[in-house]
């Protein structure tokens, strides 16, 4: 390498050559940095060098790295026992020494003292607040949390934590650097102990500690239960693997900075005092031999269930959103990546009702007398769905802050449609575009997202589709730029796919046809299960008068809903009809005066939700929608199978009991 190129190579220093430090050093080496790896222990340095070389060799064996690159990277690695010497030229310094404040304080103060004035300094702390550590760093504006996950070379997630004094530009710079390394950085926007992933995991860690403290089940019984659920390790085997001292220290730290109840766990503390630290000492909850835990055979415990753990995660995720630590999307991504899971707490929260989460949390809170398990404020107030869908507004925030949150919520979620949870299991989606709510590709895209986001939300049973203002929608936006025939086909197919979803979504959909309901707007209404109209609505298919034809299912659904004659008449003449006419033709089921249609439609939606069992409704609508597409024999077979599904629902039992007890049923969608 010539001297010019050598001069261009960037320099990084990693302090602490342990489990994490050697992996972090390897990441910088792979990305072409000159790396100084520093430790007080020379053996640790030599061991790290060996581990890095072994890891790089694996990349060579898999053909992902050339042998000459391996040699170059290893030549770029320097080992040192001197912080002072190794930090002085570095552009970025990452501290990865043990999770003890006094050690980190000493290392950070020396590193920042001898580093270049503009060197970025990151800490790989698992839990300690960045603001607390920043007091040991000179010029703390350049200091942030850089929380890698184990093993750092493999795990994509890096939590980048902003301390109170961290400069936004530094956060952005490291964010871009990590992106350029192929990592998936997540910005943690408010300093909190444990950041995202470890904070989400903290209550369940405490939960399992309290389960053994209270002798509810033996560790091996719970671990057997966890393995039955498909987890590779149960919680106690995992604690042993991580190190009981590490677990205990984390819980003690959380007891000081989050809630004293984290200090309640006794068993783990006693094991640590006895020197039983888990895998590293050969004995923890279990004995360890040859790197494996010897777990006594046991039947899976029935004293815990999956929902216990899931609601604790949901609760903590909600607290993080309330505290404005991260957005729901970032929390979901961080947990999926950090814990190698197919889904995170936001997905779980979407599939549970506020009542289910709240009652389970209250049960755990009372059973263990533990404040940590108490429902978060918004769950207490029934606002779980608002929080996870980004519509949360803290009460205490000022006008400016509220406006910002509102702006964030709309910009991150929807710009052209509005979603309102109206309570009693009813969601209203309003198309909200200037001048008659024309359907542009953006509106179709957002409708698609909205339908997907509500698909598994068990709190929502009825979806009302309407338009903001006095019109439903006057049709597709013909000012949309369409480059060629192929793009036109795709615009049409996209709408078809989205409208088909409306026919399949397991909820009752109601179209509120008011004002102009033309072309694409009419097609959208036809894709809903129930249609109501204002008496003076202007309904029709004017497409052929423009040289087009009704797309998005328009030529198909109207004929199936009414008859060939009506469809041919409306489409081939392009004539417009009123809501009253549509009622006579069997296109709509109710007509209201335009002055009351908004209220009457919601009243109807709430009435359906209060009188009818949602699972039965979801199955019935699907069967009816398929009726025109499949032969009678198949439809009847599906119908019988649906009875088998309903047989096991709580709602069927409730429906029959209420009939005999002469009372109104209280359906719960289970
Ligand atoms: P480790 O014990 O494996 O390594 C720490 C290294 O720091 C050791 O080699 C030790 O000799 C060295 N060291 C101690 N004092 C030092 C000093 N004054 N100067 C220089 N070197 C010193 O620890 P680890 O598991 O790599 O954890 C490091 C940090 O990363 C901790 O803050 C930990 O919480 C965090 N972390 C760990 C994991 C994990 O899975 N192990 C995951 C994420 C974050």
């Amino acid at each position: 390498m010539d001297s010019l190129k050598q001069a261009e190579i960037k320099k990084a220093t990693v302090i602490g050559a342990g489990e994490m430090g050697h992996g972090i050093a390897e990441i910088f080496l792979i990305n072409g940095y000159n790396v100084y790896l520093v430790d007080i222990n020379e053996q640790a340095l030599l061991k790290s060098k060996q581990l890095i070389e072994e890891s790089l060799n694996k990349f060579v064996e898999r053909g992902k790295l050339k042998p000459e690159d391996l040699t170059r990277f290893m030549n770029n690695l320097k080992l040192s026992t001197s912080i002072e010497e190794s930090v002085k030229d570095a552009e970025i310094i990452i501290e990865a020494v043990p999770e003890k404040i006094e050690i980190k304080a000493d290392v950070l103060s020396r590193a920042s003292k001898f580093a270049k004035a503009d060197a970025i300094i990151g800490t790989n702390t698992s839990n300690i607040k960045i603001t607390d550590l920043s007091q040991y760093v000179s010029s703390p504006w350049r200091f942030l949390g850089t929380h890698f996950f184990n093993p750092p070379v493999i795990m994509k997630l890096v939590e980048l934590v902003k301390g109170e004094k961290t400069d936004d530009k530094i956060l952005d710079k490291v964010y871009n650097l990590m992106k350029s390394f192929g990592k998936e950085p997540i910005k943690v926007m408010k300093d909190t102990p444990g950041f995202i992933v470890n904070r989400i995991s903290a209550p369940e860690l405490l939960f399992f500690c309290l389960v053994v403290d209270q002798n509810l089940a033996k560790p091996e019984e719970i671990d057997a239960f966890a393995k039955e659920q498909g987890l590779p390790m149960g919680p106690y085997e995992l604690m042993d693997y991580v190190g009981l001292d590490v677990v205990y220290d984390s819980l003690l730290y959380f007891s000081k900075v989050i809630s004293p109840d984290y200090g309640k766990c006794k068993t783990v503390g006693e094991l640590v005092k006895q020197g039983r630290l888990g895998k590293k000492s050969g004995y923890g909850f279990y004995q360890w031999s040859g790197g494996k835990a010897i777990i006594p055979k046991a039947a899976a415990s029935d004293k815990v269930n999956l929902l216990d753990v899931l609601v604790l995660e949901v609760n903590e995720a909600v607290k993080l959103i309330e505290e404005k630590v991260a957005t729901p999307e970032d929390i979901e991504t961080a947990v999926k990546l950090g814990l190698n899971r197919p889904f995170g707490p936001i997905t779980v929260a979407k599939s549970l009702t506020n009542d289910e989460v709240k009652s389970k949390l209250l049960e755990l809170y009372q059973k263990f007398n533990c404040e940590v398990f108490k429902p978060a404020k918004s769950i207490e107030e029934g606002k779980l769905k608002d929080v996870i869908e980004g519509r949360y507004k803290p009460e205490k925030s000022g006008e400016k802050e509220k406006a910002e949150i509102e702006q964030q919520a709309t910009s991150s979620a929807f710009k052209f449609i509005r979603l309102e949870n109206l309570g009693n299991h009813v969601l209203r989606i309003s198309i909200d575009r200037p001048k008659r709510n024309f359907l542009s590709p953006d509106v179709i895209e957002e409708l698609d997202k909205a339908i997907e986001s509500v698909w598994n939300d068990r709190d929502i049973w009825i979806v009302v589709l309407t338009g903001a203002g006095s019109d439903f929608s006057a049709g597709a936006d013909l000012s949309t730029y369409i480059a060629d025939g192929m793009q036109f086909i795709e615009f049409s197919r996209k709408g078809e796919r989205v409208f088909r979803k409306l026919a399949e979504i397991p909820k009752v959909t109601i179209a509120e046809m008011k004002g102009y309901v033309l072309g694409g707007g009419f097609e959208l209404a036809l894709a809903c299960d129930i249609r109501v109209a204002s008496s003076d609505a202007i309904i029709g298919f004017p497409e052929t008068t423009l040289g087009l034809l009704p797309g998005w299912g328009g030529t198909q659904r109207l004929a199936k809903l009414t008859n060939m004659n009506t469809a041919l008449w409306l489409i081939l003449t392009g004539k417009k009809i009123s809501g009253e006419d549509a009622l006579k033709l069997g296109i709509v089921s109710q007509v209201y005066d335009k002055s009351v249609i908004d209220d009457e439609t919601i009243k109807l939606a709430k009435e359906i939700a209060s009188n009818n069992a949602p699972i039965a409704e979801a199955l019935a609508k699907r069967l009816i929608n398929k009726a025109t597409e499949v032969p009678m024999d198949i439809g009847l077979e599906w119908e019988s199978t649906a009875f088998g599904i309903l047989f096991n629902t709580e709602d069927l039992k409730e429906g029959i009991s209420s009939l005999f007890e002469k009372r109104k049923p209280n359906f719960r969608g289970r």
Side-chain angles (χ1 to χ4, degrees):
M1 185 168 298
D2 60 42
S3 58
L4 181 70
K5 276 193 180 155
Q6 185 69 43
E8 280 169 1
I9 288 188
K10 297 193 176 264
K11 299 183 181 76
T13 299
V14 179
I15 309 174
E19 180 80 12
M20 296 302 288
H22 84 268
I24 298 168
E26 187 180 339
I27 293 172
F28 280 96
L29 287 170
I30 293 171
N31 286 286
Y33 274 66
N34 271 333
V35 178
Y36 248 124
L37 186 54
V38 191
D39 205 290
I40 40 167
N41 179 340
E42 284 195 28
Q43 288 310 311
L45 286 169
L46 295 174
K47 175 86 184 156
S48 275
K49 187 174 179 184
Q50 185 194 337
L51 288 173
I52 292 172
E53 190 154 12
E54 280 171 16
S55 166
L56 291 175
N57 248 319
K58 282 192 195 142
F59 287 122
V60 174
E61 279 161 22
R62 281 188 232 128
K64 290 190 171 169
L65 198 70
K66 293 189 198 124
E68 56 271 30
D69 286 336
L70 183 150
T71 315
R72 185 162 54 89
F73 294 159
M74 290 311 291
N75 286 340
N76 287 346
L77 174 66
K78 280 193 199 154
L79 306 177
S80 173
T81 52
S82 158
I83 289 183
E84 291 74 4
E85 169 201 42
S86 61
V87 297
K88 62 181 193 300
D89 293 327
E91 279 106 41
I92 181 162
I93 298 159
I94 309 280
E95 165 277 302
V97 297
E99 190 78 352
K100 300 272 180 209
I101 294 194
E102 56 292 357
I103 303 181
K104 289 196 186 285
D106 169 56
V107 166
L108 288 169
S109 65
R110 283 194 288 140
S112 58
K113 186 169 164 200
F114 291 95
K116 291 198 290 188
D118 59 351
I120 295 171
I121 304 180
T123 170
N124 193 50
T125 175
S126 303
N127 297 319
I128 306 171
K129 282 178 80 174
I130 302 309
T131 310
D132 292 350
L133 288 175
S134 73
Q135 59 181 302
Y136 307 108
V137 180
S138 67
S139 314
W141 53 268
R142 57 177 168 158
F143 178 61
L144 78 166
T146 45
H147 185 211
F148 290 83
F149 285 72
N150 197 6
V153 179
I154 306 291
M155 297 292 276
K156 291 251 180 250
L157 178 67
V158 188
E159 291 177 339
L160 299 178
V161 192
K162 181 173 150 62
E164 278 167 24
K165 294 179 181 152
T166 312
D167 188 331
D168 281 338
K169 288 196 193 92
I170 296 291
L171 193 70
D172 287 343
K173 214 167 167 179
V174 181
Y175 181 89
N176 292 333
L177 183 69
M178 290 302 135
K179 277 260 175 208
S180 74
F181 286 2
K183 292 288 176 196
E184 297 226 21
I186 295 274
K187 288 184 187 174
V188 182
M189 293 311 290
K190 196 157 174 202
D191 197 8
T192 185
F195 322 124
I196 300 176
V197 177
N198 287 348
R199 232 197 94 183
I200 297 275
S201 311
E204 65 192 76
L205 196 60
L206 175 61
F207 168 78
F208 287 115
C209 290
L210 297 180
V211 165
V212 281
D213 281 358
Q214 298 193 7
N215 259 328
L216 292 180
K218 291 189 182 136
E220 55 269 29
E221 291 167 346
I222 304 270
D223 280 356
F225 163 78
K227 283 189 183 157
E228 242 183 35
Q229 305 298 314
L231 292 174
M233 267 190 202
Y236 302 98
E237 187 183 355
L238 185 63
M239 283 191 237
D240 263 8
Y241 182 82
V242 171
L244 295 184
D245 51 339
V246 173
V247 170
Y248 191 57
D249 282 350
S250 306
L251 290 169
L252 282 190
Y253 179 66
F254 290 146
S255 75
K256 287 181 203 136
V257 291
I258 302 179
S259 159
D261 281 4
Y262 274 105
K264 279 189 168 169
C265 60
K266 290 187 217 86
T267 313
V268 174
E270 278 157 21
L271 291 176
V272 172
K273 269 188 212 128
Q274 292 164 27
R276 282 170 57 174
L277 308 181
K279 185 182 170 197
K280 63 176 108 169
S281 70
Y283 199 14
F285 282 110
Y286 304 118
Q287 233 168 355
W288 285 72
S289 166
K292 289 213 161 96
I294 305 166
I295 304 176
K297 279 222 160 5
S301 168
D302 59 1
K303 296 285 183 275
V304 296
N305 61 51
L306 204 54
L307 195 61
D308 294 335
V309 174
L310 293 178
V311 295
L312 289 176
E313 289 189 1
V314 168
N315 198 32
E316 212 58 20
V318 168
K319 289 183 198 170
L320 288 176
I321 301 167
E322 286 175 351
E323 291 165 26
K324 293 195 268 159
V325 171
T327 61
E329 294 76 25
D330 280 353
I331 292 174
E332 181 75 3
T333 309
V335 171
K336 272 160 71 176
L337 294 175
L339 300 177
N340 271 327
R341 296 248 198 92
F343 54 80
I346 305 300
T347 303
V348 173
K350 282 185 183 165
S351 70
L352 295 171
T353 65
N354 193 95
D355 284 350
E356 280 170 336
V357 175
K358 183 174 163 180
S359 59
K360 188 76 198 168
L361 285 168
L362 285 174
E363 180 193 316
L364 295 175
Y365 164 54
Q366 279 148 14
K367 185 166 166 185
F368 293 98
N369 184 24
C370 181
E371 290 281 327
V372 176
F373 305 157
K374 225 172 157 178
K377 188 167 172 286
S378 355
I379 297 176
E380 266 304 342
E381 293 170 356
K383 294 183 187 150
L384 172 67
K385 298 297 152 95
D386 284 343
V387 173
I388 59 168
E389 281 161 19
R391 295 190 298 272
Y392 175 72
K393 296 184 198 93
E395 261 162 31
K396 277 191 192 145
S397 49
E399 283 313 308
K400 188 171 161 246
E401 224 173 352
K402 269 190 191 158
E404 255 172 38
I405 294 160
E406 189 118 30
Q407 159 103 41
Q408 262 173 22
T410 24
S411 63
S412 67
F414 301 106
K415 287 198 183 93
F416 308 104
I417 62 174
R418 225 172 42 220
L419 266 62
E420 296 158 281
N421 186 338
L422 301 176
N424 300 62
H425 308 291
V426 176
L427 177 84
R428 177 161 61 188
I429 303 180
S430 309
I431 301 157
D432 190 0
R433 293 212 51 209
K435 291 192 202 158
R436 309 215 186 289
N437 299 323
F438 283 108
L439 301 173
S440 63
D442 289 330
V443 174
I444 300 293
E445 195 62 50
E446 290 196 355
L447 278 175
D448 193 15
K449 272 197 203 142
I451 295 167
E452 286 292 335
S453 79
V454 79
W455 199 281
N456 288 320
D457 186 338
R458 289 177 39 231
D459 255 346
I460 301 299
W461 301 352
I462 317 280
V463 177
V464 172
L465 268 144
T466 186
S470 51
D471 298 311
F472 181 72
S473 166
D477 187 347
L478 296 176
S479 67
T480 303
Y481 174 70
I482 303 228
D484 54 29
M486 200 58 203
Q487 234 183 46
F488 211 13
I489 293 178
E490 290 315 311
F491 182 42
S492 165
R493 302 230 31 206
K494 171 78 191 182
E496 272 167 34
R497 286 199 296 274
V498 176
F499 289 12
R500 182 178 280 267
K501 284 184 185 173
L502 281 174
E504 290 177 357
I505 191 170
K507 330 217 164 258
V508 176
T509 53
I510 304 178
E512 184 190 328
M513 299 165 64
K514 57 184 180 179
Y516 280 96
V517 188
L518 298 177
F522 190 12
E523 284 141 22
L524 175 60
L526 287 171
C528 292
D529 304 321
I530 294 175
R531 279 157 296 282
V532 300
S534 59
S535 44
D536 63 348
I538 301 158
I539 304 167
F541 280 134
E543 279 93 337
T544 52
T545 66
L546 302 166
L548 289 167
L549 56 80
W552 295 337
T555 59
Q556 304 297 304
R557 286 201 179 91
L558 182 59
K560 284 178 177 164
L561 180 71
T562 56
N563 52 53
M564 292 272 288
N565 187 39
T566 304
L568 285 164
W569 172 252
L570 281 179
I571 292 171
L572 299 186
T573 64
K575 279 189 185 297
K576 297 181 182 97
I577 57 170
S578 68
E580 292 288 358
D581 297 333
L583 182 66
K584 284 183 208 136
L585 290 170
I587 296 171
V588 306
S589 307
Q590 291 281 341
V591 169
Y592 306 113
D593 187 79
K594 70 174 173 196
S595 60
V596 294
I597 187 165
D598 288 347
D599 292 344
E600 288 298 327
T601 309
I602 297 309
K603 206 164 117 195
L604 172 70
K606 290 191 174 171
E607 194 183 299
I608 296 174
S610 123
N611 292 341
N612 302 278
I615 302 175
E617 297 263 283
L619 290 172
K621 77 164 256 190
R622 277 198 188 165
L623 287 169
I624 298 165
N625 280 330
K626 286 284 170 206
T628 55
E629 293 173 25
V630 297
M632 186 73 147
D633 269 0
I634 294 181
L636 291 176
E637 187 57 36
W638 285 350
E639 191 183 78
S640 319
T641 312
F643 274 97
I645 297 169
L646 292 177
F647 183 77
N648 289 319
T649 61
E650 285 177 22
D651 282 352
L652 174 63
K653 293 182 192 93
E654 169 63 10
I656 305 238
S657 311
S658 68
L659 180 73
F660 288 118
E661 290 161 18
K662 295 193 171 55
R663 61 174 172 81
K664 198 170 178 325
N666 178 19
F667 294 123
R668 301 170 70 188
R670 290 191 207 161

